[in-house]
Amino acid sequence: MEKNWADLGSVDSLKSQPLQEIEVGKITIALSYYDGKFGAVSGVCNHVGGPLGKGKLDGDYIVCPWHNWKFHRITGFGEPGFEEDRVPQFELKIENDHLFINTNSVTNRNKLPHPPHALGRDVIREDGPIRVVGISTTIMDSKNPRYSTSDKLLEVAINHAKNELGAQTMFIRLNDLKFRACEGYYSKSAKACTWPCSITQMDETDQLVQVYEALVHWADVIIVATPIRWGAASSLYHKMIERFNCIQNQITLNNKSLIQNKVASFIITGGQDNVQDVAGHMLGFFAEVGFVFPPFPFIAHTRGWDAEDMENNIAYVEKSEGLKEGAKDLARRSIEMAKIILHEHVSEQKIVKAGRKAQSLKISED
């Protein structure tokens, strides 16, 4: 193929940065300078199109700034073990103290096939009874467990759903799962936040996959229980919902709602009073990702701001038949709402975004 040389600029000026992104016509180049030698490869990562030229160098390898995939800065080959997963390499030459690039690549892009993650399958509700997931967000030393008021009321609700209301049930304690906090891929680029979650795809030990599977693919109803901690939901609750960015962002990026015809309700307890604020946050968040709610979508209990004698709070909840009946009826209302929306087949048309957070994004495709 005929060579098409383009002048990138003076050698001295280009040496000043170890790695940079350069546009040559319609081609994006990751230009590097390391150990006295230039290298040029495509600036578009094989994974989901991350900007390699905006990453960093790890020796002779470019590390993509989105998800840390690595490519040799000169050959474009993937890191050891993944050499065949490569990006195009470009030829360089120096004339009159200027660096030139042949815009016709020396090699072609080659993407190794990567099996799709199981979470990425189509969301299809299988026939069967209503399915209810309880999610406990309380934190404790699992080797020396203590009584949790929110956890116990959730157990009452889930057991009632299973034993008296005929639902299939699942109980998830976040405290038992090992999962990483959201690492802000969306802050790097909208397209860097993927479904399934980028962390889940890259880290096989990330156990939040159990929550994703339950919420997106299995449950008709979720009941989330949290203690009040300094006027807010638990830190584990917030750690979990931050990882739901990948669910909400599918609306923004692909006009695709992963949550369809699903009901959410909540149990909130604590020694401090701030129930309505905590409930408002939970209702707002779960509404934004697509859940609907039953009438009276939460039950709650606190003994007020100045009640610091938590042992008495625990004793109250243990003995309160009213709170237990409230938890059972929350399960009933949630299941009845699920039956209504599943029977009526609530519309799955595309979401009109005006007035919502998830405005559409114009993203250029390389």
Side-chain angles (χ1 to χ4, degrees), residues 84-113:
E84 291 305 309
D85 202 347
R86 62 179 182 265
V87 296
Q89 172 192 0
F90 292 86
E91 184 181 1
L92 298 170
K93 69 177 182 180
I94 296 174
E95 289 184 356
N96 299 321
D97 294 326
H98 272 234
L99 184 66
F100 290 81
I101 186 171
N102 175 16
T103 58
N104 296 319
S105 62
V106 176
T107 60
N108 296 322
R109 187 182 301 274
N110 187 54
K111 293 185 179 182
L112 288 180

Side-chain angles (χ1 to χ4, degrees), residues 110-308:
N110 187 54
K111 293 185 179 182
L112 288 180
H114 294 274
H117 195 282
L119 287 173
R121 69 189 187 276
D122 291 339
V123 180
I124 300 173
R125 188 193 185 277
E126 303 296 338
D127 291 337
I130 298 296
R131 297 185 279 267
V132 182
V133 174
I135 301 178
S136 169
T137 71
T138 194
I139 305 172
M140 65 178 75
D141 176 3
S142 58
K143 294 181 180 179
N144 301 286
R146 57 172 174 77
Y147 187 94
S148 165
T149 56
S150 60
D151 194 278
K152 292 300 180 181
L153 290 176
L154 181 59
E155 283 185 359
V156 170
I158 295 301
N159 288 337
H160 183 67
K162 177 180 180 180
N163 298 327
E164 278 74 47
L165 302 178
Q168 292 182 348
T169 61
M170 182 186 301
F171 200 107
I172 297 175
R173 288 182 172 87
L174 292 186
N175 197 64
D176 293 338
L177 304 183
K178 297 184 185 303
F179 62 97
R180 285 155 57 178
C182 178
E183 295 171 9
Y185 288 100
Y186 191 83
S187 299
K188 299 178 180 182
S189 170
K191 290 201 298 182
C193 183
T194 63
W195 172 256
C197 175
S198 303
I199 294 172
T200 301
Q201 291 190 59
M202 294 186 291
D203 184 356
E204 293 181 353
T205 68
D206 186 75
Q207 293 181 328
L208 201 69
V209 66
Q210 297 179 35
V211 178
Y212 289 139
E213 180 69 36
L215 265 64
V216 173
H217 290 288
W218 193 81
D220 301 308
V221 173
I222 67 167
I223 305 176
V224 183
T226 183
I228 298 176
R229 295 284 184 261
W230 287 102
S234 80
S235 59
L236 261 185
Y237 166 81
H238 287 283
K239 183 180 179 182
M240 174 184 72
I241 66 167
E242 286 178 1
R243 288 285 301 277
F244 288 178
N245 278 345
C246 60
I247 296 174
Q248 196 273 338
N249 287 337
Q250 284 297 298
I251 302 171
T252 308
L253 297 174
N254 300 314
N255 208 6
K256 180 180 181 181
S257 176
L258 294 171
I259 305 299
Q260 299 276 355
N261 299 330
K262 295 177 184 288
V263 175
S265 56
F266 312 102
I267 295 172
I268 304 165
T269 67
Q272 295 176 337
D273 191 15
N274 205 26
V275 169
Q276 288 179 315
D277 186 58
V278 174
H281 177 275
M282 299 175 82
L283 287 162
F285 176 83
F286 280 90
E288 183 62 19
V289 295
F291 285 91
V292 298
F293 309 107
F296 311 107
F298 65 92
I299 65 166
H301 163 74
T302 75
R303 294 181 63 243
W305 174 255
D306 60 352
E308 295 292 343

